Amino acid sequence: MSSKRRSMGLFIASALAFALAPFLVSNYWLYWICLIAINVISATGLNILTGYTGLASLGQAAFMGVGAYTVALLQHYLPMPFPLALLAAGLVAATIGLLVGVPSLRVKGLYLAIATLAASVVLEFVFVNWESVTNGTKGLTLSPATFFGHALDQPAALYWVIVPTAIALVAMASNLFRTRVGRAFIAIRDRDISAEVLGIPLLRYKLMSFGLSSFYAGIAGGLWAYFFRVVTPDAFPIVMSIFFLAAIIVGGLGSISGGVIGAIFMTLVPEVLRLVFGLFTDWIPDAMAFIPSVRSIIFGTLIIGFLLFEPQGIVAIFSRLRTLRPGGRKG
């Protein structure tokens, strides 16, 4: 089968799966599909910054928090249609991302990661202590998003918003790297000094990458707020940023499909742990209490393991398996 026919078949199968899923699966699985789609958006944004531009960041969760608080505050003080509120969430997060990205011209690697970590701590401090705006640790609650008078208050309804948004943003990211901007990002990642010699303005494109990554995070955070309908500071901890970093490393740095696969895999890990630990509750009543610690250990182990043994992630493993099967091509 030709590559073109295979791609068309995959597209048709995906379209059918998208259209039929709400009618074939329960709300439980629609919940997980929506959560996966939100995480895919944020992971894709981080992959643009870290995987394609080579700029380390530990602030993705904080930018999601900015997006979530933006839609919550807009709903309280300046009601507007939720698509516009989502766009505003992305733009506000992108603006803050541009400010955080300023040090990227002078520092990189570990130092840049520390700078974004510091920005994340500052934003978390704002979420907690600016009580007149964020309501502090009590957080903000949201009413369901509405579309033509219909409340989107269930996963089956939100599915038609969250999943298409994720598909559109992933497609935009994929097409980005066919453009001059995307190629500039890759050139900066590979050799930033050589890219500058070739006439690529480093600060402009680094800030652009930070802005795009934060925009994706802001959209994901806005969808997260509409999905859970409550926004609190502890919803976007540092460990959540590590989660997204783990997702793109496990899935495949510098690969849009790798980021998607990684987000799906890492989102389902806690649920698999819950099912596994649930088997032991008869013998260990407080077994569920160990899940957060075990999850952190697994995330750390996966990051180290893939960096050491498969830096290109799960997507590279799939690629090799495809070439090894009968009729597959090598190389």
Side-chain angles (χ1 to χ4, degrees), residues 3-302:
S3 176
K4 185 175 181 179
R5 293 179 61 186
R6 187 185 303 114
S7 298
M8 181 58 68
L10 180 62
F11 173 79
I12 293 173
S14 300
L16 287 173
F18 165 71
L20 296 176
F23 307 103
L24 298 179
V25 301
S26 65
N27 271 346
Y28 172 82
W29 286 110
L30 286 176
Y31 166 91
W32 282 105
I33 291 171
C34 290
L35 185 58
I36 286 170
I38 291 171
N39 289 339
V40 162
I41 293 171
S42 193
T44 300
L46 184 60
N47 216 356
I48 291 173
L49 179 66
T50 302
Y52 283 96
T53 318
L55 302 175
S57 174
L58 289 173
Q60 199 71 352
F63 295 127
M64 281 185 68
V66 171
Y69 273 103
T70 298
V71 297
L73 291 169
L74 285 174
Q75 188 179 92
H76 278 73
Y77 299 109
L78 187 64
M80 62 174 60
F82 79 90
L84 293 180
L86 280 179
L87 180 61
L91 293 175
V92 172
T95 301
I96 296 178
L98 290 174
L99 297 175
V100 173
V102 170
S104 65
L105 185 63
R106 297 296 181 186
V107 297
K108 56 184 178 181
L110 177 62
Y111 299 103
L112 182 58
I114 293 174
T116 59
L117 179 62
S120 180
V121 171
V122 170
L123 288 171
E124 187 173 352
F125 178 85
V126 171
F127 298 156
V128 173
N129 292 281
W130 198 5
E131 295 188 11
S132 61
V133 175
T134 65
N135 203 27
T137 56
K138 295 179 182 178
L140 301 171
T141 57
L142 289 83
S143 302
T146 58
F147 188 69
F148 289 109
H150 296 284
L152 306 179
D153 56 355
Q154 295 294 326
L158 285 164
Y159 172 91
W160 298 104
V161 174
I162 295 174
V163 175
T165 302
I167 292 172
L169 290 175
V170 169
M172 287 171 57
S174 181
N175 289 326
L176 172 68
F177 297 99
R178 299 188 179 97
T179 68
R180 179 180 178 182
V181 172
R183 290 193 293 270
F185 289 168
I186 295 172
I188 292 171
R189 177 196 66 189
D190 294 341
R191 289 291 181 88
D192 56 348
I193 296 176
S194 299
E196 188 174 28
V197 170
L198 292 173
I200 296 174
L202 294 187
L203 181 59
R204 180 194 305 172
Y205 283 102
K206 285 183 177 182
L207 291 181
M208 195 180 298
S209 183
F210 262 100
L212 272 173
S213 176
S214 303
F215 177 83
Y216 273 63
I219 295 292
L223 290 171
W224 191 97
Y226 282 124
F227 189 59
F228 291 101
R229 304 224 309 268
V230 61
V231 182
T232 58
D234 60 1
F236 306 99
I238 299 296
V239 70
M240 193 174 184
S241 293
I242 298 174
F243 166 89
F244 289 116
L245 183 62
I248 63 173
I249 290 173
V250 169
L253 281 169
S255 166
I256 296 299
S257 58
V260 172
I261 292 170
I264 294 171
F265 180 83
M266 297 301 289
T267 303
L268 293 178
V269 164
E271 180 63 9
V272 172
L273 286 177
R274 189 187 68 81
L275 294 175
V276 171
F277 276 72
L279 300 175
F280 297 96
T281 52
D282 291 337
W283 299 278
I284 308 175
D286 58 347
M288 292 296 188
F290 294 99
I291 290 180
S293 299
V294 174
R295 180 183 60 186
S296 299
I297 292 171
I298 290 176
F299 285 176
T301 303
L302 286 171

